[in-house]
Amino acid sequence: MTSEPGPPLVPPDIATALHAALNAAADEIFEAVPRELPVYAEVLATELGGLVKAAIKTMLAGFLLVACGKPDTRRAVDPVAVEEAAFRLGQYEAQVGRPIDSLNASFRLGARIAWRHWSATAQAHGMSTVDIAAFAELNFYYIDTLADAAVSGHADELASAGRQRQRAREYLAEKLLGGDDMTELLAAARLADWRPPESMVAIVLPRAETHIAVPALDARTLQAGAELLPGPARPDMAVLLVPVGAGAARAALLERVGGLRAAVGPEQPWLDVRYSAALAARAWEHQGRESWPADTESELAALVVHADPLTRARHRADTLAPFDHLRADTRARYEETLRAWLLHQGRREDVARYLVLHPQTVRYRMDRIREILGDRLTDPERVLDLIIALA
């Protein structure tokens, strides 16, 4: 892109209209980025927002230079300056500890918004379908070029101070998950140039999906491997430690990771976020999940029941031993019926609707179950055992 632009694709009359639409496109991008990518909301609200908006205009003007040529000297843009703007944005992302995924997501968002303005203007001025298709290809090629420049800037910064900062934050995440004492954690936070929040929430998810989640989260989010958590080895999993402020809506956080195979732990003081991560890991591993993300706050009962798998298996085997003599299919039907009967407090009609059975079938099965279990169904302690075993 730094070479001299070739013959312009867009005729002069349409080029003038496109340049006139530039400010509106830049304004919409500037408004959409913090809304769609909350990770940028705070920085764009500061004085840096003006510099970012200027960079957006520079990059949009650079594209119009490539596509349209120079309409006049007042609007001329140095192609080198365009790449430098993207390069500097990549450097800044590394300086604040964000991966390049967030910036790439903003580029993709900006490209879509800009294209809506460019294509609407081109169509309104009679540009042919063939030329609009070529125009679109040039637009997205241009964004790829900017993304490459940003990646270079990000890598350049990480090669020096940025890399040290990222490593320091990874080190901090490891110490948080390791349960180190407050003195060591505060020292690690200072080393990482990381301001501790009031509280944090841990999110456990596959490593392969972190690049989707991170752009939607707070810029101070820390990341570590899930192998640091107690329990089974999790080499393919990662933990995100997300700062949350006072009154932060949990529903909003769950929405930001919506669609991902993620488990969200409870909010904890930042020094105790290890507990949030451990509970999220257990929720992620819980079998039979039908929807994601998993919210530990709505699954506490299941997490308690499944907290100790070996002891639970032993308790279940002992409690349901009276059914051992039955055939496997008969036993499964009786256990299913008994579970529904306990959940619905013995209301036969409700049990029948729940299991889609005739009430007489429910009655027959429960009569047989009573014969097998005897007085266990009248002993509150044994009933509690049955509820836990069948949970």
Side-chain angles (χ1 to χ4, degrees), residues 107-121:
F107 278 165
R108 290 192 295 270
L109 175 62
R112 292 195 302 271
I113 293 172
W115 178 243
R116 287 201 298 269
H117 285 266
W118 304 153
S119 60
T121 301

Side-chain angles (χ1 to χ4, degrees), residues 230-244:
R234 305 177 182 90
D236 298 327
M237 304 294 292
V239 183
L240 302 179
L241 305 179
V242 186
V244 291

Side-chain angles (χ1 to χ4, degrees), residues 232-307:
R234 305 177 182 90
D236 298 327
M237 304 294 292
V239 183
L240 302 179
L241 305 179
V242 186
V244 291
R250 185 175 185 83
L253 180 60
L254 290 166
E255 184 178 349
R256 289 175 188 175
V257 294
L260 299 181
R261 294 175 299 146
V264 182
E267 181 177 337
Q268 289 290 115
W270 77 277
L271 292 169
D272 300 322
V273 72
R274 184 189 188 200
Y275 168 74
S276 180
L279 204 61
R282 280 172 45 200
W284 200 93
E285 292 166 357
H286 181 54
Q287 297 299 314
R289 183 168 307 287
E290 296 180 355
S291 63
W292 297 96
D295 180 7
T296 56
E297 297 289 61
S298 63
E299 300 185 9
L300 292 176
L303 291 170
V304 169
V305 170
H306 296 276

Side-chain angles (χ1 to χ4, degrees), residues 316-339 341-342 365-374 376-377 382 385-387 389-390:
R316 175 181 169 83
D318 180 67
T319 302
L320 302 179
F323 293 139
D324 287 351
H325 67 285
L326 298 174
R327 292 188 331 186
D329 57 344
T330 302
R331 175 173 182 155
R333 287 196 299 271
Y334 283 7
E335 289 182 0
E336 177 187 51
T337 303
L338 177 57
R339 180 179 182 275
W341 187 85
L342 292 169
R365 290 185 185 178
M366 284 309 303
D367 286 344
R368 183 74 181 102
I369 289 169
R370 287 189 182 93
E371 292 176 5
I372 296 171
L373 295 180
R376 287 179 174 84
L377 286 179
R382 300 288 76 78
D385 282 335
L386 289 167
I387 292 172
L390 294 168

Side-chain angles (χ1 to χ4, degrees), residues 103-177:
L103 186 57
N104 283 340
S106 71
F107 278 165
R108 290 192 295 270
L109 175 62
R112 292 195 302 271
I113 293 172
W115 178 243
R116 287 201 298 269
H117 285 266
W118 304 153
S119 60
T121 301
Q123 289 176 0
H125 287 76
M127 194 173 190
S128 71
T129 302
V130 173
D131 286 343
I132 288 178
F135 192 27
E137 183 176 357
L138 180 61
N139 179 64
F140 292 104
Y141 170 79
Y142 178 79
I143 290 299
D144 286 342
T145 303
L146 293 183
D148 288 343
V151 168
S152 296
H154 195 272
D156 180 75
E157 182 64 22
L158 287 180
S160 53
R163 185 179 299 278
Q164 296 175 10
R165 184 181 297 106
Q166 185 66 24
R167 287 177 177 172
R169 293 192 174 192
E170 291 172 358
Y171 175 70
L172 172 59
E174 292 172 1
K175 295 185 81 64
L176 280 167
L177 294 178

Side-chain angles (χ1 to χ4, degrees), residues 47-66:
E47 60 183 19
L48 288 176
L51 297 177
V52 173
K53 193 167 188 178
I56 292 172
K57 289 185 177 181
T58 296
M59 288 184 279
L60 293 179
F63 169 68
L64 294 183
L65 171 65
V66 174

